[in-house]
Amino acid sequence: MKRSFLLALCLSAAAAFAGVYDIADFTAKDAVSSDNQVFASYGELSTASVDEAASVPSGKIVLRQKFAQESGLNAYQLYIGQVGDISSMTALSVPSNISYSDIIKAKLYERRGMKPGDDAEKVYFDGKFVYIPGAASAVAFVNGTQIDLKNEAPAATSTAPKQECDEFDVSCDEDIIAAKNSSSYDVSGDLNNTNSRADARDYSASAAAQDVKDRFGIADEVRFWSAVALSAVAAGSAVLGVLQQMKSSEANDAYKKLENIANTAEEKISVGCAKIKGVTDQQACIDYYKKTNDSAAFTTAGWTYADLKSRMKINKDTKDSYAMARNIWFGVSAVSLTTAIVLFAW
């Protein structure tokens, strides 16, 4: 029973802290207006439920918007509208062993190591894929397990015939053609395509620049889960400390009962020695009865005075042992909890 209680307490403590990566409910009251890119038309969007977001009707898309609150806690809401142009965003696949609904209720991060409150502000759902503006991959935590959302779409292959070049034609040089394709943008033609190419280049440069941040940023994740583990250790140690205190109290009660019996027996011995005729040294008489089996006549249950003192010593040693164990477990709990608080606040 005690082991089950301890296990349940530790699991509940870990689950409570793991909840910082989940969205408990969608209660934000803020209204959101659609733009003319992801959504097909302007106007205020209507809210949606998790079930609607999990099975989005054809031709629609759901936005999950994060709002910063004065309390410091973020609020979230789901909005649904007619889908527009989403070609500038990467379609991220949800692993087959993970429920799409769980991803809707999980905070999404562009990379590992980000703090719990630094999740993506806008996330789009079409019932099959997940879209985050500017992100080519994402990370979520479902039931404490890291889930990676990646772009698993096959790369498009070009079927255009290769241009035949004259060896003396400088304008047909492959390096020059490649440079023109990567640097020139048609401002009078398809602006969406041009912007998409520019965004892709910017995202690649940003990802490369943040590579060092990714390597050091993982320290935040390590600190968080270390704090969770230490919190569970603190809770378990506190429970063990309480159990040791209970045992120490039981041993102390037994010691006090025997102490009362021993005190009563000593009084009876003193009175008995005083009544014996011819005894000139009362203390010698008392010491004699305390050390011999004759003291059983002055105690209950036939115990000698020496037996009582021996049992009292055992009970006192037991009490001291449990008290020391109690102090150790409470000390471990205090140190673990203090360290966990420091890691959470860091």
Side-chain angles (χ1 to χ4, degrees), residues 71-151:
S71 61
L73 299 176
N74 296 323
Y76 299 82
Q77 188 55 272
L78 297 169
Y79 303 92
I80 191 169
Q82 294 290 334
V83 65
D85 181 14
I86 59 175
S87 60
S88 62
M89 296 187 294
T90 301
L92 305 179
S93 299
V94 177
S96 58
N97 61 330
I98 301 299
S99 170
Y100 195 80
S101 298
D102 289 339
I103 296 298
I104 295 173
K105 294 181 289 186
K107 297 179 182 179
L108 295 173
Y109 303 87
E110 294 185 18
R111 62 185 183 277
R112 294 182 58 193
M114 299 180 71
K115 295 181 179 180
D118 292 342
D119 56 307
E121 180 180 352
K122 292 178 180 286
V123 182
Y124 296 90
F125 303 92
D126 65 359
K128 182 178 180 182
F129 296 103
V130 177
Y131 304 85
I132 301 177
S137 62
V139 175
F141 293 93
V142 177
N143 297 325
T145 302
Q146 178 179 315
I147 305 300
D148 295 319
L149 281 67
K150 301 178 181 179
N151 174 23

Side-chain angles (χ1 to χ4, degrees), residues 31-67:
V32 171
S33 296
S34 63
D35 51 43
N36 201 25
Q37 182 178 1
V38 177
F39 292 96
S41 60
Y42 288 109
E44 192 171 294
L45 297 171
S46 58
T47 59
S49 65
V50 175
D51 291 338
E52 289 178 300
S55 55
V56 182
S58 177
K60 293 184 178 294
I61 194 168
V62 170
L63 162 66
R64 190 181 79 194
Q65 179 72 51
K66 180 177 74 172
F67 300 94

Side-chain angles (χ1 to χ4, degrees), residues 187-335:
V187 297
S188 62
D190 187 354
L191 291 181
N192 287 334
N193 182 46
T194 300
N195 289 336
S196 176
R197 290 167 58 194
D199 289 344
R201 184 192 65 180
D202 291 343
Y203 297 152
S204 298
S206 176
Q210 291 185 354
D211 180 65
V212 175
K213 289 185 178 180
D214 288 344
R215 296 178 184 275
F216 288 98
I218 193 175
D220 290 332
E221 184 179 342
V222 172
R223 281 195 296 270
F224 173 78
W225 289 112
S226 297
V228 171
L230 287 171
S231 299
V233 171
S237 299
V239 172
L240 291 175
V242 171
L243 295 177
Q244 298 299 308
Q245 172 59 29
M246 293 170 61
K247 291 293 186 181
S248 178
S249 297
E250 292 177 4
N252 189 48
D253 290 341
Y255 173 81
K256 289 182 177 180
K257 289 179 181 179
L258 291 177
E259 186 178 35
N260 291 333
I261 296 174
N263 290 337
T264 301
E266 188 172 358
E267 291 177 2
K268 290 181 178 180
I269 292 173
S270 298
V271 173
C273 287
K275 293 181 179 180
I276 298 176
K277 295 180 180 181
V279 176
T280 58
D281 190 347
Q282 293 291 324
Q283 188 59 47
C285 177
I286 293 172
D287 292 340
Y288 168 78
Y289 277 104
K290 284 183 177 180
K291 296 177 181 179
T292 62
N293 294 335
D294 293 338
S295 59
F298 301 97
T299 62
T300 58
W303 287 3
T304 65
Y305 186 84
D307 291 337
L308 288 173
K309 298 301 286 186
S310 176
R311 289 297 305 171
M312 287 171 61
K313 185 179 184 306
I314 293 174
N315 289 338
K316 186 178 184 304
D317 291 343
T318 302
K319 179 197 71 171
D320 293 342
S321 176
Y322 280 119
M324 180 179 292
R326 171 203 62 197
N327 294 337
I328 291 174
W329 286 117
F330 281 155
V332 171
S333 179
V335 171

